[in-house]
Amino acid sequence: KFLNFFNNEILKNAANQNKLEVAYYLLSKRQTIKRNFQLCKELKYMPIPPSITSIDVNSFDRCSLLKRVTIPSSVTCIGRYAFNKCKSLTHVTIPSSVTEIIGGAFFGCSSLKQVTILSPITTIDSETFYNCSSLKQITIPSSVTIIKNQAFVLCSSLKRIIFSPSITSIEEHVFSSCESLTQVTIPPLVTSIKMFTFQNCTSLSQIIIPSSVTSIEAHAFFNCSSLKQIDFPPFLTSIGRNAFFECSS
């Protein structure tokens, strides 16, 4: 245990001093990153060796100067809050080997402009891109069927979402306060627009709802102040309380 602690301290110090050769060598002897870089506030770039299969919970938590990270094709899992509040991170590519991205993985990455998801994930987990306020566009992979609650809350620069046609469920608050979002086409297999899904999307002017939708829940479009027109689908049976409250246009 002492030797492991000693090695962890060496690894963290090397990362904080941006001695990448030392950090890379020590990581290459492991399969999992476990909070090894948490609060490494001087770390700017980290290439991850191909020995790593899992980037665990809080691995790079609050590495505020981290601008770039290379995720190898050996990685299968990106853990909860793995890159939490890495406020300088601008781009990330998730390789096809990744089968799971756990909730909050990129929470508060406020400089993140581009995300490329090559992996066959089936779920965008809760809070995955919460407050990624520089993200302008996201393409949801065709393998995704569920977007969980609060996945894109406060992505205030998000203008365009390219949905997977396989999506069956978009949960509560998913796009709440995405203030730059102007147009949305709900995927054809979705049956319900959940509570607060588009709350405070103040630039949203057009929403296309497919015939599969049978319910619009409470506060779904609360304060969508630019929404001018909506065509209700033919099989809609319920509209929840205040679903269109403060839709002043």
Side-chain angles (χ1 to χ4, degrees):
K1 288 184 178 179
F2 175 77
L3 183 60
N4 188 47
F5 172 80
F6 183 67
N7 284 336
N8 284 339
E9 286 301 299
I10 293 175
L11 176 57
K12 194 163 188 175
N13 287 335
N16 251 332
Q17 295 172 39
N18 284 287
K19 294 180 178 179
L20 298 185
E21 296 87 353
V22 176
Y24 187 91
Y25 172 78
L26 291 171
L27 272 186
S28 69
K29 306 299 180 183
R30 307 176 182 211
Q31 290 185 312
T32 303
I33 301 175
K34 292 185 176 181
R35 300 188 182 184
N36 299 113
F37 301 102
Q38 189 174 34
L39 289 168
C40 284
K41 294 188 175 180
E42 301 301 321
L43 180 65
K44 295 179 181 178
Y45 169 59
M46 189 65 235
I48 298 173
S51 62
I52 299 297
T53 60
S54 178
I55 302 172
D56 215 343
V57 58
N58 293 115
S59 290
F60 292 91
D61 177 34
R62 288 169 287 173
C63 292
S64 55
L65 293 183
L66 183 68
K67 291 183 178 180
R68 190 161 56 101
V69 64
T70 303
I71 302 173
S73 59
S74 55
V75 171
T76 60
C77 179
I78 299 175
R80 189 174 301 278
Y81 300 109
F83 295 93
N84 177 51
K85 295 183 180 177
C86 290
K87 294 186 176 182
S88 298
L89 188 66
T90 58
H91 298 76
V92 66
T93 297
I94 300 166
S96 58
S97 56
V98 173
T99 57
E100 188 175 23
I101 303 171
I102 302 176
F106 298 95
F107 187 106
C109 292
S110 54
S111 295
L112 190 62
K113 294 179 180 179
Q114 183 176 339
V115 177
T116 303
I117 306 174
L118 303 176
S119 68
I121 55 172
T122 58
T123 301
I124 305 290
D125 208 353
S126 58
E127 298 185 331
T128 296
F129 298 103
Y130 192 111
N131 197 23
C132 290
S133 55
S134 296
L135 188 64
K136 293 183 178 180
Q137 177 177 313
I138 187 76
T139 299
I140 309 295
S142 59
S143 54
V144 171
T145 60
I146 299 172
I147 304 177
K148 290 197 171 182
N149 60 297
Q150 302 187 41
F152 295 95
V153 170
L154 288 169
C155 290
S156 55
S157 297
L158 187 65
K159 292 183 178 181
R160 189 181 183 202
I161 311 152
I162 302 173
F163 284 111
S164 157
S166 304
I167 291 173
T168 59
S169 178
I170 300 172
E171 294 186 354
E172 294 88 351
H173 291 274
V174 166
F175 298 105
S176 181
S177 298
C178 290
E179 297 172 353
S180 297
L181 195 61
T182 58
Q183 181 178 344
V184 171
T185 300
I186 303 294
L189 297 180
V190 171
T191 59
S192 178
I193 300 175
K194 301 294 187 181
M195 290 190 297
F196 299 101
T197 299
F198 296 100
Q199 174 192 228
N200 294 329
C201 291
T202 52
S203 296
L204 185 65
S205 60
Q206 184 178 5
I207 180 85
I208 298 173
I209 303 174
S211 60
S212 56
V213 170
T214 58
S215 67
I216 298 173
E217 294 187 3
H219 303 93
F221 296 95
F222 182 92
N223 195 32
C224 289
S225 55
S226 297
L227 190 61
K228 295 179 180 179
Q229 180 179 332
I230 187 163
D231 293 324
F232 293 118
F235 303 108
L236 186 69
T237 58
S238 67
I239 299 176
R241 183 185 179 193
N242 292 329
F244 297 95
F245 189 73
E246 297 290 349
C247 292
S248 54
S249 294

